[in-house]
């Protein structure tokens, strides 16, 4: 069946709306921080709430964009790198919103939105692929299971990566600014103003304590890791059906495995004396780096069986 | 271990190795073993395994693409052989790669044995005694209650039991009564299941690697395949394979069909076969497609390739049929321009051979003839006829896709459409009678597959449990209010401990304490 071009066009338009809403939301979160620093905490709160509304609106448009794309091509909307990147961003925003419903994590807003906007921008331009059907090798119900799991884990790993970077920054700052580490003061705290700090110091005051960030990163990884494990296993089952072996050390498989090992090392490090905290955090960032290699370097540079999911 | 450290020990994770008592070799061996089964070593080996896998994705690998390895070796005459000596073109079969994962395996097993023992003991033991000073714990509180210590603790026990905590009450010397409660043993169980399943997974992989087989065969439409070793074009047995593992199934390829998108990209393939599980079973119609292997008596049959087979008929000058066969041609590009060879050794005064190029959709470009679409829209066959000794009787093995043209005499060339006949100068006629299709099938048998699948399921289940469930302890100590043993009022201390997710735990702790106060 040929692709439905008007629906595909609608999906593209919705993606533009999505990116716009997310970009505005990012500005809102940034404004919340800026106003919070200059003491206008009412205005800060308003900016933050507006940013959340924009995020939700963008999320709705994003879901609609992905759905219309699926209907336009009569298949699941994750068959190439463009669609894949859009889905990963959608999961990252979803994870953020779910966290937000349970914990005061609005401070994360700008830091989640920035990579998401960048990623979607990249997806919509460099990686963009015209709507079309799948090649036979991708036409299996395992693609739905395997890829949904991979996308979900990746989106969550992306959020954990953002939190981990914030953790490392905050942790370094806490150890540098000798004195007693400030207690968690959360968004909009006036403390930053009183300290009259540099811009970076202000940001650091505004972030929660490093221990809070560390635990948040762990919780997200503890969610993502089993999902990633399942994704790799579902991929192996699919490979067994398609290529007559469940594991063949194809570059894509190998990098998924390396990513898995890196996060397993992170979980071990957290349980090992002397490796908790900073060193574990670095391991998780290495894991995220491996994930990025898995998606982008493997698909474009290293040639393997999986490389038909290519660009263009 | 101090009382507090004992109370805070919420997992069976090995503690960092201490210097061992004793002396000499025994002590050193024990020390080395502790080191090998420590968390630090597991961490190190996991990282090492990840690093060791990287070159396998950067350099071409023999197991994946032997041609690319040869190309690389030719391009790097200095570096190539050196890398080859380090097994860098067979990373995943290299001794140093095996060394890392075998060490990891030994480490896991060595780590698991004491952990299983500790955990089964913990499952049967009473929760650890309340530390003397509960206020020293991070999550703790105190209040006073209008009831004697025993009653306070009894009420606490009722509450904890209804929330499925394991509890243990102790009466202390000074008239205080304490209760120790623990919950979430499943975390450790899940973690142990996960690690045991990892070992099971490796066992399953080893089983498949030792006893399985794999083979590839090309079958032309209308022809059959029987699962005996001699039927295969390529056969790869494993180390401990024996012919008795070949189940006696067979199939006949009835039809093969392929459909394509307008730009020539493949859309769908379908091979319809008559399958028999045993030689005297009644044949059953089955479809083999990409992603849909045929499950055949413990083995799987996969569709891995396809191409065109050309039906050629050759008659001698008197009109007698001397050659009448479907000859498979091998595809050279995505549009299925293909090449092949026809050999007519018998029935003619001199042996005759043809080299041919086949275009399913013929087109002419500035670079010469080409196929412009993989489907049969305008098939054309380019043949060159050669005469002489085909070399088939020399005994030397010869590919069916090659003709020793250097020692043959070139007769003529001709382009044919289906149905056309070409008459050579000596009266021999060649007819391009039609086009059929062939498909290649891979048959794979992996006796470890089921174990691998079960282990994989346990790995995910174990992980989910171990990362979701929180192991936590909770203590309440009620002390007589004024030091009197028969006091009617008590001072209550409560404290709790967890290792993962303290945020969630402090909520649970608060709600438990609130309900105890009521
Ligand atoms: C094949 C190699 C291994 C892999 C892939 C692996 C993976 C994992 C993972 C993902 C976890 C996290 C689960 C959790 O936090 O509850 C974990 C936990 C753990 N692993 Fe391993 N592991 C391996 C080898 C080992 C070895 C050799 C040891 C022995 C020292 C070990 C001991 C532990 C312990 C004690 C925990 C629990 C830590 C805790 O209490 O939180 N693992 N492992």
């Amino acid at each position: 069946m040929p692709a439905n071009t008007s629906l595909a066009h609608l999906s593209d338009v919705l993606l533009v709306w999505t990116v716009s809403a997310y970009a505005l939301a990012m500005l809102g979160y940034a404004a919340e921080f800026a106003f919070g620093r200059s003491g206008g905490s009412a205005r800060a709160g308003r900016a933050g709430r507006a940013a959340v509304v924009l995020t939700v609106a963008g999320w709705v448009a994003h879901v609609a964009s992905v759905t219309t794309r699926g209907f336009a091509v009569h298949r699941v909307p994750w068959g190439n790198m463009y669609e894949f990147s859009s889905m990963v961003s959608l999961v990252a925003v979803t994870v953020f919103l779910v966290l937000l419903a349970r914990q005061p994590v609005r401070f994360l807003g700008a830091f989640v939105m920035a990579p998401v906007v960048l990623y979607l921008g990249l997806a919509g331009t460099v990686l963009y692929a015209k709507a079309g059907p799948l090649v036979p090798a991708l036409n299996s119900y395992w693609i739905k299971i395997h890829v949904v799991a991979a996308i979900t884990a990746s989106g969550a790993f992306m959020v954990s990566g953002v939190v981990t970077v914030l953790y490392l920054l905050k942790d370094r700052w806490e150890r540098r600014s000798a004195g007693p580490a400030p207690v968690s003061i959360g968004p909009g705290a006036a403390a930053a103003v009183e300290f009259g700090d540099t811009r970076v110091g202000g940001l650091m005051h505004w972030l929660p304590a490093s221990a809070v960030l560390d635990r948040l990163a762990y919780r997200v990884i503890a969610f993502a890791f089993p999902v990633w494990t399942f994704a790799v296993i579902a991929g192996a089952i699919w490979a067994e059906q398609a290529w007559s072996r469940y594991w063949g050390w194809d570059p894509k498989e190998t990098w998924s495995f390396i990513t898995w090992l890196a996060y397993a090392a992170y979980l071990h490090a957290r349980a090992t004396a002397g490796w908790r905290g900073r060193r574990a955090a670095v391991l998780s960032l290495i894991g995220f780096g491996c994930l990025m290699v898995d998606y982008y370097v493997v698909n474009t540079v290293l040639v393997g069986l999986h490389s038909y999911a290519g660009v263009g | 271990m101090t009382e507090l450290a004992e109370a805070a020990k919420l997992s069976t994770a090995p503690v960092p190795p201490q210097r061992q008592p004793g002396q000499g070799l025994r002590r050193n061996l024990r020390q080395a073993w502790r080191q090998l089964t420590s968390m630090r070593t597991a961490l190190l080996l996991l990282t090492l395994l990840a690093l060791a896998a990287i070159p396998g994705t950067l350099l071409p690998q023999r197991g994946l693409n032997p041609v690319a390895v040869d190309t690389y070796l030719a391009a790097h005459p200095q570096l190539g052989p050196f890398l080859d000596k380090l097994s860098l073109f067979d990373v995943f079969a290299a001794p140093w790669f095996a060394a890392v994962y075998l060490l990891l395996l030994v480490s896991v097993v060595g780590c698991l044995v004491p952990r299983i023992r500790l955990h089964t003991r913990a499952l049967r033991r009473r929760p650890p005694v309340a530390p003397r000073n509960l206020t020293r714990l991070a999550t703790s509180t105190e209040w006073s209650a209008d009831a004697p210590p025993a009653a306070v603790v009894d009420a606490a026990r009722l509450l904890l039991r209804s929330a499925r905590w394991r509890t243990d009450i102790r009466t202390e010397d000074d008239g205080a009564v304490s209760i120790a409660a623990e919950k979430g043993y499943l975390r450790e169980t899940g973690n142990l299941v996960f690690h045991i399943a990892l070992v099971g997974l490796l066992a399953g992989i080893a089983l498949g690697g030792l006893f399985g087989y794999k083979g590839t065969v090309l079958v032309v439409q209308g022809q059959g395949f029987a699962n005996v070793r001699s039927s295969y074009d390529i056969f790869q047995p494993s180390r401990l394979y024996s012919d008795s593992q070949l189940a006696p199934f067979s199939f006949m390829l009835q039809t093969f069909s392929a459909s394509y998108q307008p730009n020539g990209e493949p859309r769908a393939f379908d091979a319809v076969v008559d399958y028999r599980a045993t030689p005297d079973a009644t044949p059953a119609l089955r479809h083999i497609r990409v992603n849909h292997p045929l499950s055949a008596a413990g083995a799987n049959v996969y569709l891995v390739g396809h191409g065109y087979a050309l039906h050629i008929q050759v008659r001698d000058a008197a009109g007698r049929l001397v050659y009448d066969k479907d000859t498979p041609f091998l595809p050279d590009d995505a549009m299925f321009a293909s090449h092949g060879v026809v050999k007519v050794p018998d029935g003619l005064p001199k042996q005759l051979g043809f080299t041919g190029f086949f275009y399913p959709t013929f087109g002419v470009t500035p670079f010469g003839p080409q196929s412009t679409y993989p489907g049969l829209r305008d098939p054309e066959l380019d043949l060159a006829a050669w005469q002489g000794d085909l070399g088939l009787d020399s005994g030397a093995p010869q590919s069916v896709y090659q003709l020793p043209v250097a020692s043959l005499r070139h007769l003529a060339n001709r382009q044919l459409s289906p149905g056309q006949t070409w008459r050579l100068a000596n009266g021999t006629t060649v007819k391009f009678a039609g086009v059929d299709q062939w498909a290649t099938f891979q048959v794979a048998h992996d006796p470890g597959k089921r174990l691998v699948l079960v282990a994989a399921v346990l790995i995910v289940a174990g992980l989910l449990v171990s990362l979701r469930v929180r192991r936590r302890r909770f203590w309440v100590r009620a002390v007589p209010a004024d030091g009197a043993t028969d006091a009617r009022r008590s001072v209550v201390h409560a404290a709790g401990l967890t290792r993962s997710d303290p945020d969630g735990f402090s909520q649970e702790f608060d709600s438990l304490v609130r309900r105890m106060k009521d």
Side-chain angles (χ1 to χ4, degrees):
Chain A
M1 236 187 301
N4 179 332
T5 43
S6 60
L7 262 186
H9 180 68
L10 177 60
S11 164
D12 294 351
V13 172
L14 283 166
L15 192 78
V16 175
W17 290 2
T18 306
V19 178
S20 315
Y22 287 167
L24 285 174
M26 180 174 72
L27 292 181
Y29 293 120
E32 178 179 23
F33 162 63
F35 292 150
R37 274 188 32 157
S38 55
S41 35
R43 273 165 84 195
R46 232 176 295 136
R49 278 192 298 278
V52 172
V53 171
L54 278 166
T55 311
V56 173
W59 184 83
V60 171
H62 202 164
V63 171
S65 163
V66 167
T67 318
T68 46
R69 175 87 176 186
F71 281 115
V73 292
H74 319 288
R75 57 165 170 80
V76 292
W78 47 80
N80 52 47
M81 270 163 73
Y82 157 66
E83 295 167 359
F84 198 85
S85 304
S86 176
M87 287 295 291
V88 170
S89 314
L90 179 59
V91 172
V93 177
T94 309
V95 168
F96 168 61
L97 287 175
V98 168
L99 281 175
L100 193 61
R102 300 178 172 194
Q103 285 184 17
V105 292
R106 210 152 78 198
F107 69 90
L108 270 180
F111 304 102
V112 172
M113 285 304 146
V116 162
V117 168
L118 209 76
Y119 209 58
L120 277 180
L122 215 65
T125 51
V126 181
L127 304 175
Y128 185 77
K130 272 237 180 67
L134 292 175
V135 296
L138 287 180
N139 201 350
S140 150
Y141 62 89
W142 279 105
I143 189 185
K144 300 183 184 129
I145 300 169
H146 164 65
V147 181
V148 164
I151 287 170
T152 307
S154 308
F157 279 138
M158 185 159 150
V159 173
S160 81
V162 168
V163 179
T164 304
V165 170
L166 294 179
Y167 160 76
L168 285 172
L169 292 174
K170 178 80 182 201
D171 179 62
R172 201 175 72 155
W173 183 82
E174 277 173 5
R175 276 178 300 110
R176 280 224 182 140
S177 56
V183 214
S184 161
I185 44 179
V193 189
E194 286 161 18
F195 280 109
D197 236 325
T198 60
R199 186 175 300 240
V200 176
L203 181 62
M204 287 300 136
H205 279 294
W206 188 66
L207 286 177
S210 62
V212 174
L213 292 168
D214 179 46
R215 284 204 294 271
L216 187 60
Y218 168 75
R219 281 183 63 167
V220 178
I221 290 178
F223 161 76
F225 185 75
V227 181
W228 182 252
T229 310
F230 175 75
V232 173
I233 290 169
I237 295 175
W238 176 26
E240 204 269 333
Q241 302 210 330
W243 302 320
S244 77
R245 85 289 184 290
Y246 53 82
W247 197 264
W249 297 110
D250 171 86
K252 190 101 189 166
E253 294 166 354
T254 308
W255 276 100
S256 307
F257 176 63
I258 293 172
T259 305
W260 186 77
L261 285 176
Y263 280 108
Y266 162 80
L267 289 173
H268 271 217
R270 283 188 66 94
T272 306
W275 272 81
R276 279 180 209 126
R278 237 173 328 145
R279 291 204 237 176
V282 169
L283 276 175
S284 98
L285 286 186
I286 291 175
F288 188 68
C290 294
L291 188 70
M292 290 293 102
V293 170
D294 197 11
Y295 285 139
Y296 296 102
V297 180
V298 171
N299 279 13
T300 51
V301 183
L302 308 172
V303 184
L305 283 170
H306 283 77
S307 300
Y308 42 63
V311 192
Chain B
M1 206 184 292
T2 69
E3 186 190 38
L4 198 61
E6 175 72 56
K9 197 164 182 307
L10 282 159
S11 99
T12 58
V15 288
Q18 309 281 313
R19 288 205 70 73
Q20 291 295 305
Q23 38 180 284
L25 186 66
R26 283 242 342 241
R27 193 195 67 176
N28 287 340
L29 279 177
R30 202 176 322 145
Q31 183 84 15
W33 178 249
R34 293 251 171 146
Q35 204 72 54
L36 181 65
T37 58
S38 74
M39 290 297 282
R40 252 165 214 279
T41 309
L43 181 57
L44 179 76
L45 289 174
L46 282 171
T47 314
L48 218 55
L49 189 62
L51 286 177
I54 292 177
T57 66
L58 301 179
L59 289 167
Q61 297 294 301
R62 284 214 173 82
L64 288 171
N65 193 347
V67 180
V69 175
D70 292 341
T71 314
Y72 189 94
L73 282 172
H76 304 84
Q78 301 276 301
L79 186 63
F82 174 69
L83 295 178
D84 203 8
K85 242 186 218 118
L86 298 176
S87 303
L88 282 165
F89 301 116
D90 308 276
V91 164
F92 305 106
W96 45 267
F97 192 77
V100 179
Y101 70 72
L102 287 178
L103 267 179
L104 198 53
L105 182 67
V106 172
S107 174
V108 181
V109 173
C111 175
L112 273 174
V113 172
R115 289 184 63 204
I116 292 170
R117 211 178 46 225
L118 277 174
H119 186 55
T120 46
R121 210 183 295 158
L123 284 177
R124 282 181 275 120
R125 252 193 354 200
R126 314 195 305 183
V129 185
R132 194 139 312 134
N133 192 349
L134 285 177
T135 47
R136 275 180 54 199
L137 294 177
T139 317
S140 68
T141 182
E142 90 177 67
W143 70 93
S144 58
D146 276 331
V152 169
V153 167
D154 265 345
R157 175 177 147 114
L158 229 63
L159 180 67
L160 288 164
R161 304 252 20 180
S162 72
R164 312 242 310 279
W165 287 71
R166 179 181 301 189
T167 58
D168 181 44
I169 292 183
R170 289 181 179 86
T171 307
E172 295 168 9
D173 299 339
D174 51 2
V177 184
S178 69
I179 181 167
E182 184 161 11
K183 198 175 173 177
Y185 294 84
L186 216 51
R187 178 191 181 88
E188 203 70 16
T189 310
N191 187 278
L192 292 174
V193 166
F194 167 79
H195 286 86
I196 294 167
L198 276 179
V199 178
L201 184 86
L202 287 178
I205 293 172
L207 206 64
L210 288 175
F211 295 100
Y213 69 82
K214 206 172 232 193
T216 311
V217 59
L218 184 151
V219 183
V220 178
Q221 247 176 60
Q223 298 180 359
F225 164 80
N227 192 28
V228 292
R229 199 162 168 170
S230 57
S231 310
Y232 285 99
D233 299 325
I234 304 169
F235 190 75
Q236 299 163 276
S238 54
R239 228 162 273 175
L240 302 178
Y241 156 90
S242 76
D243 277 345
S244 63
Q245 282 171 4
L246 291 173
F249 67 84
S250 59
F251 62 83
M252 202 267 284
L253 179 60
Q254 284 207 336
T255 55
F256 175 84
S257 53
S259 62
Y260 304 93
Q261 293 175 38
N263 67 359
E265 279 184 27
R267 197 199 298 276
F269 307 115
D270 187 13
V272 182
V273 300
D274 258 343
Y275 165 73
R276 289 170 204 255
T278 55
D280 30 66
T282 45
L285 214 60
R286 294 287 163 77
H287 290 265
I288 308 179
R289 304 191 185 100
V290 178
N291 283 318
H292 289 277
L294 166 69
S295 143
N300 274 348
V301 183
Y302 301 85
L303 175 63
V304 292
H306 68 106
Y308 292 104
L310 306 188
H311 187 185
I312 307 280
Q313 291 174 327
V314 179
R315 289 168 198 272
D316 66 9
R320 264 186 309 124
L321 201 57
V322 296
Y323 184 91
D324 183 12
K325 267 191 203 163
D326 273 333
T327 307
F329 271 45
L330 299 181
D332 295 316
D333 62 27
M335 295 299 163
F336 279 79
S338 313
H339 72 274
V341 160
V342 177
K343 297 178 188 179
V344 189
D346 305 313
L348 294 174
K350 276 192 179 156
Q351 290 189 329
L352 194 62
F354 299 91
T355 51
F357 290 98
F358 174 67
Y359 310 95
T361 301
F362 185 75
V364 179
T365 70
F367 311 105
Q370 260 189 1
S371 176
T372 55
Y373 186 75
L376 290 172
R377 283 187 177 158
D378 178 18
E380 288 288 336
L381 174 63
D382 255 336
L383 281 182
W386 306 79
Q387 199 173 44
D389 181 3
L390 297 182
L392 292 174
D393 310 320
S394 70
Q398 204 192 75
S399 163
V400 293
Y401 301 106
Q402 271 169 2
L403 203 63
V405 288
S407 58
L408 299 176
R409 191 164 70 88
H410 180 218
L411 297 180
N413 284 1
R414 179 69 187 269
Q415 187 173 332
L416 297 169
S417 304
Q420 283 186 334
T421 303
W422 174 24
R423 180 178 293 274
L424 298 176
N426 59 10
T428 308
T429 59
V430 184
K431 182 172 183 190
F432 177 14
V435 185
D436 264 325
Q437 307 217 42
W438 54 260
T440 37
F441 296 96
Q442 183 161 66
V443 180
H445 173 58
D446 180 344
K449 215 164 61 183
R450 187 127 339 136
L451 177 56
V452 169
L453 185 63
V454 170
V457 169
L458 288 176
I459 280 176
V460 175
L463 260 185
L464 280 175
V465 168
S466 117
L467 291 170
R468 283 280 165 284
V469 176
R470 273 175 284 128
R471 177 105 171 252
R472 56 246 195 239
R473 290 181 179 151
F474 186 85
W475 295 279
V476 179
R477 173 178 288 121
V479 185
D482 354 305
T485 31
D486 56 348
R488 321 229 38 197
R489 292 168 45 77
S490 345
V491 177
V492 190
H493 301 269
L497 252 187
T498 188
R499 222 159 43 89
S500 47
D501 187 24
D503 303 327
F505 179 65
S506 68
Q507 282 173 18
E508 184 183 20
F509 180 84
D510 290 345
S511 112
L512 276 174
V513 167
R514 209 175 322 115
R515 285 162 64 196
M516 279 176 195
K517 285 181 183 167
D518 291 345

